[in-house]
Amino acid sequence: MQVSVESTGNLERRVTLSLPAGDVDNQVGGRLREIARTVRIKGFRPGKVPTKVVEQRYGGQVRAEILDGLLRQGMDQAVRENDLRVAGAPQISMADEAGEGELKYVASIELVPDFGDLDMAKLQVVRHTSEVTDADIERMLANLQQQRASWSKVERAAKAGDLANLETSSMIDGARMPPEGVEKTSTVLGSGAMYPEVEQAIVGMQPGEEKTVDVTLPADWHMPQFAGKTVTSTFKVVDVAEQVLPEVDAAFIRSFGIKSGDAEQFKAEIRSNLERELKGALMNRLRREVGEQLVVAYQDVELPPRVVENEARALLANATEQARRQGQQVGADAEAFKDAARKRVLVALLVGEVARRNELRLEQARLNETMQLIASTYEQPQQVIDLYRNDPQLMQGLQNRVMEEQVIDWIAERATHTDQAISFQEAIGQ
């Protein structure tokens, strides 16, 4: 195979790959003969399948696999011989012209930019620290009680925290909604699910009582024809129920998988889960902090345009899918995500360059610890570990994540940093 490389820009190279068509044909023929010796096709005895039949069934797939392998070898050769540091996947296509008996392909690749001196000491990084306290455990315990709470009807006026079942109707621009009858709904008073004016009006109402309230809709109301207008709503309290929290007894504890029903063991499990959540939250904060500092320090570096474009399209696709799940639409195109994409690409390339220059290697102990932490959140941890170990793609994703965290820690340690203690609630963004 003949390989040549030419520069087409500061960060772009064109790689031309030429190989004799006969060599490809010979390899394809050899592979098909191997298949013919073992393949089982209905109507033919093993080892007696005609070559034509094997070629019709497997020829296209075999040729594609062999060409892919040869082109990969050629690209590896070009990268190695020319000391290229490639960013993103190459774009490979057949050349417009090729000699007789020759297969020629052209690959367009983009390179990692030259970042110059990587002095991490010039970064100003705040490292947040936190710990799980007994108060955090009690707060989580209260949350778990609320998750298992029941409701008991009461014959008294509604108050904050109660569940109120309602019948409602509204008038807006002379139109009644619904046109006939009432809509049945319910709300926990104080939850913010309804407008404050409505919740305030319901508090103090007795079961069976009715009240009318005027509410001004916001300017960005989802029904534009009613945006900013006043709605006259009538509410009737059908009944009121108060929340009944379960006792934290052995039965309650066993319902969360603690077979012993022991309260101290339950709290230890809660602490372990909160510490795992806290560790992830602190790493995310540090990742953002270091990323922002890297973007500021290296914002003028030229980046490979196609890599940035691909990242912008990926961000758009993610936003579109998230909006679809929420029943919304994304009123933007990939260009709207270009700035965010540029920052993500810049940080990713810088993290990779820091690792390369400083010969940082994946720490197996840290990888195992992360895998154990992930597995511990499932009922069958060993099955999760086996899944990672037996799925190369899943394991590669985990390795990339752990390696990135190692580099982020390495950068933060060498930056000009200050430690700032925050509460657990602040750390996890509550």
Side-chain angles (χ1 to χ4, degrees), residues 75-92:
M75 289 299 301
D76 290 344
Q77 178 184 338
V79 169
R80 185 175 57 255
E81 291 179 351
N82 293 273
D83 194 24
L84 302 176
R85 289 183 292 116
V86 180
Q91 289 185 339
I92 303 178

Side-chain angles (χ1 to χ4, degrees), residues 146-193:
Q146 287 190 337
Q147 291 175 14
R148 301 293 175 89
S150 58
W151 297 95
S152 177
K153 287 186 180 180
V154 292
E155 294 298 327
R156 59 164 172 76
K159 63 181 182 180
D162 285 344
L163 173 67
N165 291 309
L166 310 168
E167 291 179 349
T168 72
S169 62
S170 302
M171 291 289 295
I172 182 170
D173 275 358
R176 189 180 189 278
M177 296 185 297
E180 296 181 357
V182 294
E183 291 183 346
K184 295 183 182 296
T185 187
S186 60
T187 186
V188 176
L189 300 178
S191 66

Side-chain angles (χ1 to χ4, degrees), residues 360-378:
L360 303 182
R361 299 289 181 266
L362 180 66
E363 297 174 4
Q364 189 62 42
R366 185 163 181 163
L367 177 67
N368 292 339
E369 179 188 3
T370 303
M371 189 161 48
Q372 293 283 355
L373 285 172
I374 294 172
S376 67
T377 63
Y378 295 85

Side-chain angles (χ1 to χ4, degrees), residues 3-4 18 25 32 40 50 98 129 137 139 152 158 224 230 248 255 266 308 336 351 359 392 403 422:
V3 180
S4 63
S18 303
D25 292 338
L32 290 175
R40 292 181 178 274
T129 62
I137 295 173
R139 186 181 296 107
S152 177
T230 299
V248 183
S255 70
F266 187 35
V308 174
V351 166
E359 300 182 346
M403 188 66 210
I422 57 176

Side-chain angles (χ1 to χ4, degrees), residues 286-302:
L286 185 61
R287 183 185 286 109
R288 288 195 300 270
E289 179 76 15
V290 170
E292 289 169 1
Q293 291 296 314
L294 289 174
V295 167
V296 171
Y298 296 92
Q299 58 185 325
D300 296 327
V301 172
E302 180 184 2

Side-chain angles (χ1 to χ4, degrees), residues 268-313:
E269 184 70 19
I270 292 174
R271 179 180 292 276
S272 176
N273 290 337
L274 294 183
E275 286 176 344
R276 180 170 54 248
E277 183 181 3
L278 178 61
K279 183 176 181 180
L282 291 176
M283 173 48 69
N284 287 336
R285 280 175 170 268
L286 185 61
R287 183 185 286 109
R288 288 195 300 270
E289 179 76 15
V290 170
E292 289 169 1
Q293 291 296 314
L294 289 174
V295 167
V296 171
Y298 296 92
Q299 58 185 325
D300 296 327
V301 172
E302 180 184 2
L303 295 178
R306 194 167 64 243
V307 174
V308 174
E309 290 170 6
N310 290 340
E311 183 64 25
R313 283 194 288 269

